[in-house]
Protein backbone atom coordinates (compact mmCIF):
# COMPACT_ATOMS: atom_id res chain seq x y z
CA UNK A 1 0.00 0.00 0.00
CA UNK A 2 1.12 3.59 -0.60
CA UNK A 3 0.64 5.84 2.39
CA UNK A 4 0.57 9.62 2.06
CA UNK A 5 1.53 12.13 4.74
CA UNK A 6 0.59 15.73 3.89
CA UNK A 7 1.71 18.81 5.77
CA UNK A 8 -1.04 20.01 8.10
CA UNK A 9 -2.55 23.31 6.98
CA UNK A 10 -4.89 24.17 9.87
CA UNK A 11 -3.94 27.43 11.62
CA UNK A 12 -0.81 26.93 13.75
CA UNK A 13 -1.02 23.15 13.44
CA UNK A 14 2.52 21.80 13.69
CA UNK A 15 1.84 18.11 14.29
CA UNK A 16 2.35 15.47 11.61
CA UNK A 17 0.54 12.21 10.86
CA UNK A 18 3.56 9.89 10.89
CA UNK A 19 6.99 10.21 12.50
CA UNK A 20 10.12 8.81 10.79
CA UNK A 21 10.24 5.70 13.00
CA UNK A 22 6.70 4.73 11.93
CA UNK A 23 7.60 5.41 8.30
CA UNK A 24 10.56 3.10 8.72
CA UNK A 25 8.32 0.31 10.04
CA UNK A 26 6.01 0.72 7.05
CA UNK A 27 8.77 0.73 4.44
CA UNK A 28 10.57 -2.21 6.06
CA UNK A 29 7.42 -4.30 5.64
CA UNK A 30 7.11 -3.45 1.95
CA UNK A 31 4.80 -0.44 1.96
CA UNK A 32 5.60 2.85 0.23
CA UNK A 33 5.32 6.22 1.94
CA UNK A 34 5.21 9.64 0.30
CA UNK A 35 5.70 12.64 2.58
CA UNK A 36 5.17 16.27 1.67
CA UNK A 37 8.26 18.46 2.07
CA UNK A 38 8.49 20.01 5.55
CA UNK A 39 5.51 18.02 6.85
CA UNK A 40 7.43 17.15 10.02
CA UNK A 41 9.48 20.28 10.62
CA UNK A 42 6.94 21.77 13.02
CA UNK A 43 7.35 18.70 15.22
CA UNK A 44 11.14 18.70 14.91
CA UNK A 45 11.47 16.00 12.21
CA UNK A 46 13.50 16.91 9.14
CA UNK A 47 13.00 15.83 5.53
CA UNK A 48 16.35 14.06 5.80
CA UNK A 49 15.03 11.87 8.63
CA UNK A 50 12.01 10.86 6.56
CA UNK A 51 14.21 10.13 3.56
CA UNK A 52 16.51 7.99 5.71
CA UNK A 53 13.42 6.11 6.94
CA UNK A 54 12.57 5.17 3.36
CA UNK A 55 9.99 7.81 2.47
CA UNK A 56 9.81 9.58 -0.85
CA UNK A 57 9.63 13.36 -0.46
CA UNK A 58 7.59 15.61 -2.71
CA UNK A 59 6.71 19.28 -2.73
CA UNK A 60 3.45 18.63 -4.57
CA UNK A 61 0.47 18.14 -2.25
CA UNK A 62 -1.61 16.96 -5.20
CA UNK A 63 0.85 14.11 -5.68
CA UNK A 64 0.52 13.06 -2.04
CA UNK A 65 -3.24 12.71 -2.37
CA UNK A 66 -3.49 11.38 -5.92
CA UNK A 67 -0.89 8.63 -5.52
CA UNK A 68 -1.77 7.36 -2.03
CA UNK A 69 -4.11 4.55 -1.06
CA UNK A 70 -4.27 5.87 2.50
CA UNK A 71 -3.85 9.42 3.81
CA UNK A 72 -2.69 9.70 7.43
CA UNK A 73 -3.21 13.10 9.03
CA UNK A 74 -3.73 14.67 12.44
CA UNK A 75 -6.52 17.23 12.07
CA UNK A 76 -9.70 17.06 10.05
CA UNK A 77 -9.13 17.72 6.34
CA UNK A 78 -9.63 21.33 5.34
CA UNK A 79 -11.86 22.16 2.33
CA UNK A 80 -8.99 22.15 -0.16
CA UNK A 81 -7.85 18.76 1.14
CA UNK A 82 -11.36 17.30 1.04
CA UNK A 83 -11.60 18.16 -2.65
CA UNK A 84 -8.58 15.91 -3.27
CA UNK A 85 -10.05 12.79 -1.69
CA UNK A 86 -11.33 10.09 -4.03
CA UNK A 87 -13.59 7.08 -3.93
CA UNK A 88 -12.18 4.12 -2.02
CA UNK A 89 -9.23 6.07 -0.60
CA UNK A 90 -8.66 5.65 3.15
CA UNK A 91 -8.52 8.79 5.30
CA UNK A 92 -7.22 8.13 8.82
CA UNK A 93 -7.25 11.18 11.11
CA UNK A 94 -9.29 13.10 13.68
CA UNK A 95 -12.61 14.11 12.13
CA UNK A 96 -15.01 15.37 14.85
CA UNK A 97 -17.89 15.34 12.37
CA UNK A 98 -20.94 15.78 14.62
CA UNK A 99 -20.74 19.61 14.82
CA UNK A 100 -19.32 19.99 11.29
CA UNK A 101 -21.95 19.40 8.57
CA UNK A 102 -19.80 21.01 5.86
CA UNK A 103 -17.02 18.50 6.38
CA UNK A 104 -19.50 15.62 6.61
CA UNK A 105 -21.10 16.65 3.32
CA UNK A 106 -17.71 16.83 1.58
CA UNK A 107 -16.62 13.43 2.89
CA UNK A 108 -19.89 11.88 1.77
CA UNK A 109 -19.38 13.40 -1.66
CA UNK A 110 -15.80 12.07 -1.87
CA UNK A 111 -16.92 8.45 -1.32
CA UNK A 112 -13.69 7.89 0.58
CA UNK A 113 -13.37 5.55 3.59
CA UNK A 114 -13.05 7.97 6.50
CA UNK A 115 -11.82 6.54 9.81
CA UNK A 116 -11.81 8.84 12.83
CA UNK A 117 -9.22 8.47 15.55
CA UNK A 118 -11.70 9.73 18.14
CA UNK A 119 -14.27 6.95 17.62
CA UNK A 120 -11.92 3.94 17.51
CA UNK A 121 -12.58 2.09 20.76
CA UNK A 122 -10.78 -0.44 22.95
CA UNK A 123 -12.01 -3.67 24.57
CA UNK A 124 -12.42 -1.78 27.85
CA UNK A 125 -14.62 0.84 26.23
CA UNK A 126 -11.92 3.51 26.12
CA UNK A 127 -10.85 5.70 23.21
CA UNK A 128 -7.20 4.74 22.67
CA UNK A 129 -6.48 7.20 19.85
CA UNK A 130 -8.20 10.13 21.54
CA UNK A 131 -6.67 9.52 24.95
CA UNK A 132 -3.12 10.80 24.21
CA UNK A 133 -4.39 14.13 22.92
CA UNK A 134 -6.93 14.32 25.74
CA UNK A 135 -4.03 13.95 28.16
CA UNK A 136 -2.13 16.75 26.43
CA UNK A 137 -5.15 19.06 26.21
CA UNK A 138 -6.02 18.36 29.84
CA UNK A 139 -2.53 19.23 31.01
CA UNK A 140 -2.47 22.36 28.86
CA UNK A 141 -5.86 23.63 30.04
CA UNK A 142 -4.74 24.99 33.45
CA UNK A 143 -1.69 26.58 31.81
CA UNK A 144 -3.67 28.45 29.18
CA UNK A 145 -6.34 29.21 31.77
CA UNK A 146 -3.75 30.73 34.09
CA UNK A 147 -2.42 32.85 31.22
CA UNK A 148 -5.93 33.96 30.25
CA UNK A 149 -6.63 34.98 33.86
CA UNK A 150 -3.92 37.63 33.61
CA UNK A 151 -5.33 41.16 33.51
CA UNK A 152 -3.63 41.99 30.20
CA UNK A 153 -5.63 39.17 28.58
CA UNK A 154 -8.97 40.35 29.97
CA UNK A 155 -8.91 38.07 32.98
CA UNK A 156 -9.51 38.80 36.65
CA UNK A 157 -5.83 39.28 37.40
CA UNK A 158 -5.76 36.21 39.64
CA UNK A 159 -2.74 33.96 40.18
CA UNK A 160 -3.89 30.36 40.02
CA UNK A 161 -1.91 29.26 43.08
CA UNK A 162 -2.24 32.47 45.09
CA UNK A 163 0.56 33.50 47.46
CA UNK A 164 0.93 33.37 51.26
CA UNK A 165 -1.88 35.46 52.67
CA UNK A 166 -3.88 35.46 49.41
CA UNK A 167 -6.25 32.63 48.55
CA UNK A 168 -5.61 30.55 45.41
CA UNK A 169 -8.00 30.49 42.47
CA UNK A 170 -11.01 28.19 42.31
CA UNK A 171 -10.91 25.82 39.34
CA UNK A 172 -14.09 24.02 38.31
CA UNK A 173 -13.67 21.09 35.90
CA UNK A 174 -16.69 19.71 34.05
CA UNK A 175 -16.00 16.04 33.30
CA UNK A 176 -13.70 13.66 35.16
CA UNK A 177 -12.47 11.61 32.21
CA UNK A 178 -8.99 11.63 30.70
CA UNK A 179 -8.80 15.38 30.03
CA UNK A 180 -10.52 16.32 33.26
CA UNK A 181 -8.33 14.18 35.50
CA UNK A 182 -5.14 15.44 33.84
CA UNK A 183 -6.36 19.04 34.12
CA UNK A 184 -7.00 18.44 37.82
CA UNK A 185 -3.50 17.08 38.33
CA UNK A 186 -1.86 20.16 36.81
CA UNK A 187 -4.21 22.68 38.45
CA UNK A 188 -3.65 21.02 41.80
CA UNK A 189 0.10 21.11 41.23
CA UNK A 190 -0.15 24.84 40.52
CA UNK A 191 -1.76 25.32 43.92
CA UNK A 192 -5.39 25.93 42.92
CA UNK A 193 -8.53 24.77 44.68
CA UNK A 194 -9.95 22.14 42.32
CA UNK A 195 -13.46 20.70 41.99
CA UNK A 196 -14.53 18.09 39.43
CA UNK A 197 -18.12 17.43 38.39
CA UNK A 198 -19.18 14.23 36.62
CA UNK A 199 -22.33 12.16 36.21
CA UNK A 200 -20.58 8.83 36.79
CA UNK A 201 -20.24 7.72 40.40
CA UNK A 202 -17.42 5.36 39.38
CA UNK A 203 -15.50 8.27 37.83
CA UNK A 204 -15.97 10.39 40.97
CA UNK A 205 -14.74 7.51 43.16
CA UNK A 206 -11.71 7.07 40.92
CA UNK A 207 -10.90 10.79 41.14
CA UNK A 208 -11.25 10.73 44.92
CA UNK A 209 -8.98 7.70 45.21
CA UNK A 210 -6.38 9.10 42.82
CA UNK A 211 -6.08 12.47 44.52
CA UNK A 212 -6.67 11.35 48.08
CA UNK A 213 -9.42 13.87 48.64
CA UNK A 214 -7.30 16.84 47.56
CA UNK A 215 -9.72 17.37 44.65
CA UNK A 216 -13.35 17.96 45.61
CA UNK A 217 -15.95 16.01 43.65
CA UNK A 218 -19.68 16.46 43.08
CA UNK A 219 -22.36 14.91 40.92
CA UNK A 220 -22.96 17.01 37.83
CA UNK A 221 -26.37 18.54 37.26
CA UNK A 222 -27.70 21.97 36.30
CA UNK A 223 -28.18 23.10 39.90
CA UNK A 224 -24.70 22.07 41.04
CA UNK A 225 -23.09 23.77 38.04
CA UNK A 226 -25.04 26.96 38.73
CA UNK A 227 -24.05 26.94 42.40
CA UNK A 228 -20.35 26.25 41.92
CA UNK A 229 -19.78 28.42 38.86
CA UNK A 230 -20.42 31.58 40.87
CA UNK A 231 -17.20 31.12 42.84
CA UNK A 232 -15.09 29.77 39.96
CA UNK A 233 -12.17 31.77 38.60
CA UNK A 234 -11.43 29.17 35.91
CA UNK A 235 -13.86 26.69 34.39
CA UNK A 236 -12.44 23.86 32.27
CA UNK A 237 -14.97 21.99 30.12
CA UNK A 238 -13.93 18.44 29.18
CA UNK A 239 -17.25 16.63 28.69
CA UNK A 240 -17.33 14.04 25.92
CA UNK A 241 -19.94 11.82 24.30
CA UNK A 242 -17.99 9.72 21.75
CA UNK A 243 -18.80 10.78 18.21
CA UNK A 244 -21.61 13.12 19.27
CA UNK A 245 -21.87 16.86 19.86
CA UNK A 246 -20.92 17.94 23.37
CA UNK A 247 -23.86 18.84 25.64
CA UNK A 248 -24.24 22.55 26.41
CA UNK A 249 -23.72 22.54 30.16
CA UNK A 250 -22.99 26.27 30.43
CA UNK A 251 -25.80 28.37 28.99
CA UNK A 252 -25.60 32.06 28.14
CA UNK A 253 -27.65 32.88 31.24
CA UNK A 254 -25.13 31.10 33.48
CA UNK A 255 -22.37 33.47 32.33
CA UNK A 256 -24.14 36.21 34.25
CA UNK A 257 -23.53 34.28 37.48
CA UNK A 258 -19.77 34.21 36.95
CA UNK A 259 -17.22 36.67 38.27
CA UNK A 260 -16.26 39.35 35.73
CA UNK A 261 -12.96 38.32 34.14
CA UNK A 262 -13.39 34.64 34.96
CA UNK A 263 -12.14 32.25 32.28
CA UNK A 264 -13.71 29.31 30.44
CA UNK A 265 -11.34 26.88 28.71
CA UNK A 266 -13.55 24.71 26.52
CA UNK A 267 -11.53 21.58 25.75
CA UNK A 268 -14.72 20.08 24.27
CA UNK A 269 -14.71 22.58 21.40
CA UNK A 270 -13.67 19.91 18.86
CA UNK A 271 -17.11 18.38 19.41
CA UNK A 272 -18.92 21.72 19.39
CA UNK A 273 -18.09 22.86 22.92
CA UNK A 274 -19.92 22.48 26.24
CA UNK A 275 -20.62 26.20 26.60
CA UNK A 276 -23.42 27.84 24.63
CA UNK A 277 -21.21 30.84 23.84
CA UNK A 278 -18.19 28.79 22.72
CA UNK A 279 -16.96 29.02 19.14
CA UNK A 280 -13.74 27.56 17.71
CA UNK A 281 -10.67 29.79 17.89
CA UNK A 282 -7.07 29.41 16.74
CA UNK A 283 -3.66 29.64 18.35
CA UNK A 284 -3.26 32.94 16.48
CA UNK A 285 -6.36 34.42 18.18
CA UNK A 286 -7.17 32.06 21.04
CA UNK A 287 -9.49 34.12 23.26
CA UNK A 288 -12.54 36.34 23.09
CA UNK A 289 -14.87 37.84 25.68
CA UNK A 290 -18.63 37.38 26.05
CA UNK A 291 -20.54 39.13 28.86
CA UNK A 292 -17.26 39.85 30.63
CA UNK A 293 -16.15 36.18 30.60
CA UNK A 294 -12.96 35.21 28.80
CA UNK A 295 -13.37 32.22 26.47
CA UNK A 296 -10.41 30.10 25.32
CA UNK A 297 -11.69 27.71 22.63
CA UNK A 298 -8.72 26.63 20.50
CA UNK A 299 -9.80 23.61 18.50
CA UNK A 300 -6.33 22.07 18.25
CA UNK A 301 -4.82 22.74 21.67
CA UNK A 302 -2.21 19.93 21.50
CA UNK A 303 -0.75 21.53 18.36
CA UNK A 304 0.92 24.08 20.66
CA UNK A 305 3.26 21.35 21.94
CA UNK A 306 3.65 19.65 18.60
CA UNK A 307 6.62 17.38 19.25
CA UNK A 308 5.22 15.88 22.45
CA UNK A 309 1.77 15.54 20.87
CA UNK A 310 2.99 14.00 17.61
CA UNK A 311 5.09 11.39 19.38
CA UNK A 312 2.28 10.51 21.81
CA UNK A 313 -0.24 10.25 18.97
CA UNK A 314 2.03 8.06 16.83
CA UNK A 315 2.62 5.71 19.76
CA UNK A 316 -1.13 5.12 19.82
CA UNK A 317 -1.93 5.09 16.08
CA UNK A 318 1.01 2.93 14.97
CA UNK A 319 -0.65 -0.52 15.31
CA UNK A 320 -3.79 0.72 13.54
CA UNK A 321 -1.83 2.27 10.67
CA UNK A 322 0.04 -1.00 10.25
CA UNK A 323 -3.17 -3.06 10.35
CA UNK A 324 -4.85 -0.89 7.71
CA UNK A 325 -1.76 -0.96 5.51
CA UNK A 326 -1.24 -4.71 5.85
CA UNK A 327 -4.86 -5.81 5.54
CA UNK A 328 -6.74 -3.00 3.82
CA UNK A 329 -9.69 -1.33 5.51
CA UNK A 330 -12.22 -4.12 4.84
CA UNK A 331 -10.21 -6.93 6.39
CA UNK A 332 -9.03 -4.71 9.25
CA UNK A 333 -12.68 -3.96 10.05
CA UNK A 334 -13.71 -7.60 9.75
CA UNK A 335 -10.92 -8.63 12.11
CA UNK A 336 -11.43 -5.88 14.69
CA UNK A 337 -14.81 -4.61 15.92
CA UNK A 338 -13.07 -1.70 17.62
CA UNK A 339 -11.62 -0.46 14.32
CA UNK A 340 -15.09 -0.76 12.79
CA UNK A 341 -16.37 1.75 15.32
CA UNK A 342 -13.83 4.23 14.01
CA UNK A 343 -15.30 4.26 10.50
CA UNK A 344 -17.50 7.35 10.10
CA UNK A 345 -18.08 7.45 6.33
CA UNK A 346 -17.86 4.74 3.66
CA UNK A 347 -18.55 5.31 -0.02
CA UNK A 348 -21.00 8.13 0.60
CA UNK A 349 -22.76 6.51 3.59
CA UNK A 350 -22.58 7.83 7.17
CA UNK A 351 -21.60 4.88 9.36
CA UNK A 352 -21.29 6.64 12.73
CA UNK A 353 -24.73 6.78 14.32
CA UNK A 354 -24.10 9.80 16.61
CA UNK A 355 -23.01 11.83 13.56
CA UNK A 356 -26.11 10.79 11.63
CA UNK A 357 -28.34 11.72 14.55
CA UNK A 358 -26.62 15.07 15.11
CA UNK A 359 -27.08 16.07 11.47
CA UNK A 360 -30.35 14.35 10.61
CA UNK A 361 -28.70 12.05 8.07
CA UNK A 362 -29.41 8.48 7.11
CA UNK A 363 -27.32 5.99 9.06
CA UNK A 364 -25.90 2.79 7.63
CA UNK A 365 -23.85 0.36 9.71
CA UNK A 366 -20.30 -0.59 8.76
CA UNK A 367 -21.45 -4.22 8.76
CA UNK A 368 -23.95 -3.44 6.01
CA UNK A 369 -21.24 -1.77 3.95
CA UNK A 370 -18.99 -4.80 4.32
CA UNK A 371 -21.56 -7.21 2.90
Amino acid sequence: MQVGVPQEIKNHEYRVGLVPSTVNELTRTGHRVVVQHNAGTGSGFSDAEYSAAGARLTGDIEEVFSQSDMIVKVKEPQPEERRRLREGQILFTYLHLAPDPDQTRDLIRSKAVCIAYETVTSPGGGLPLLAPMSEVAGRLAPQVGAHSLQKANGGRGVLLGGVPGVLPANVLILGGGVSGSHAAMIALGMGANVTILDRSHDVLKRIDTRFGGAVRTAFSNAQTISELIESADLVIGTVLIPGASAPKLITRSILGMMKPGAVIVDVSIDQGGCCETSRPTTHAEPIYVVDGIVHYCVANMPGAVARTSTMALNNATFPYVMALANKGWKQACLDDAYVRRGVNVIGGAVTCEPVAIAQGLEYRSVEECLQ
Side-chain angles (χ1 to χ4, degrees):
M1 180 178 286
Q2 177 143 310
V3 180
V5 184
Q7 184 175 20
E8 298 289 328
I9 58 175
K10 192 176 178 109
N11 181 278
H12 284 266
E13 181 52 70
Y14 303 109
R15 290 172 290 179
V16 63
L18 296 180
V19 298
S21 59
T22 304
V23 170
N24 180 252
E25 292 290 336
L26 284 165
T27 57
R28 284 197 315 108
T29 52
H31 302 292
R32 291 163 290 127
V33 181
V34 57
V35 177
Q36 188 179 0
H37 280 306
N38 297 319
T41 54
S43 297
F45 300 107
S46 68
D47 283 353
E49 289 177 273
Y50 283 102
S51 182
R56 179 171 62 82
L57 279 295
T58 179
D60 185 0
I61 182 60
E62 185 63 43
E63 185 179 347
V64 175
F65 276 82
S66 66
Q67 296 190 10
S68 298
D69 305 301
M70 175 166 62
I71 299 293
V72 180
K73 282 175 44 60
V74 177
K75 288 305 292 177
E76 72 280 357
Q78 302 304 292
E80 64 188 85
E81 295 174 308
R82 301 197 294 261
R83 287 193 292 270
R84 293 188 169 100
L85 294 170
R86 67 177 187 275
E87 184 172 358
Q89 188 174 44
I90 302 169
L91 172 66
F92 194 34
T93 188
Y94 288 115
L95 293 176
H96 300 290
L97 290 180
D100 193 347
D102 289 342
Q103 184 193 175
T104 304
R105 184 170 52 250
D106 287 348
L107 296 184
I108 290 172
R109 187 180 298 121
S110 76
K111 295 189 176 181
V113 178
C114 306
I115 307 173
Y117 293 158
E118 73 274 8
T119 58
V120 172
T121 58
S122 66
L127 302 170
L129 306 189
L130 184 62
M133 296 304 94
S134 295
E135 292 168 356
V136 172
R139 292 183 181 218
L140 277 175
Q143 294 182 203
V144 299
H147 183 70
S148 300
L149 274 169
Q150 293 178 21
K151 197 66 179 178
N153 298 316
R156 298 191 66 234
V158 171
L159 182 65
L160 213 60
V163 293
V166 180
L167 292 172
N170 293 319
V171 177
L172 177 64
I173 301 173
L174 306 180
V178 176
S179 286
S181 60
H182 280 262
M185 179 179 68
I186 299 302
L188 194 66
M190 295 173 78
N193 289 324
V194 182
T195 302
I196 288 184
L197 304 186
D198 201 282
R199 296 182 70 86
S200 166
H201 189 58
D202 288 340
V203 167
L204 296 176
K205 286 195 296 183
R206 186 165 62 246
I207 293 293
D208 189 64
T209 299
R210 175 176 177 179
F211 294 104
V215 172
R216 297 186 302 168
T217 61
F219 187 81
S220 181
N221 55 45
Q223 182 177 336
T224 304
I225 292 172
S226 297
E227 290 172 354
L228 293 178
I229 210 163
E230 293 183 20
S231 61
D233 299 290
L234 170 61
V235 178
I236 299 174
T238 70
V239 293
L240 173 70
I241 301 174
S245 296
K248 303 300 182 187
L249 302 183
I250 304 174
T251 62
R252 179 74 179 262
S253 61
I254 286 179
L255 294 190
M257 303 177 183
M258 299 179 69
K259 302 173 184 177
V263 172
I264 295 172
V265 176
D266 200 340
V267 179
S268 305
I269 194 63
D270 275 332
Q271 294 293 134
C274 64
C275 179
E276 187 179 355
T277 48
S278 290
R279 57 176 171 79
T281 61
T282 67
H283 287 292
E285 296 182 47
I287 60 176
Y288 61 93
V289 179
V290 176
D291 296 345
I293 307 304
V294 180
H295 293 57
Y296 180 102
C297 303
V298 174
N300 59 327
M301 285 178 66
V305 285
R307 187 171 179 87
T308 296
S309 297
T310 292
M311 294 173 72
L313 181 59
N314 265 248
N315 290 344
T317 60
F318 168 71
Y320 298 90
V321 170
M322 291 298 294
L324 289 166
N326 289 336
K327 301 177 180 181
W329 74 268
K330 288 184 178 180
Q331 193 61 49
C333 286
L334 287 169
D335 290 348
D336 192 336
Y338 306 104
V339 172
R340 286 203 297 275
R341 293 174 189 171
V343 184
N344 282 208
V345 178
I346 298 175
V350 175
T351 55
C352 179
E353 191 169 13
V355 172
I357 292 172
Q359 298 182 23
L361 299 171
E362 183 181 350
Y363 164 71
R364 188 180 179 195
S365 71
V366 177
E367 288 78 6
E368 288 180 76
C369 295
L370 287 170
Q371 291 176 359

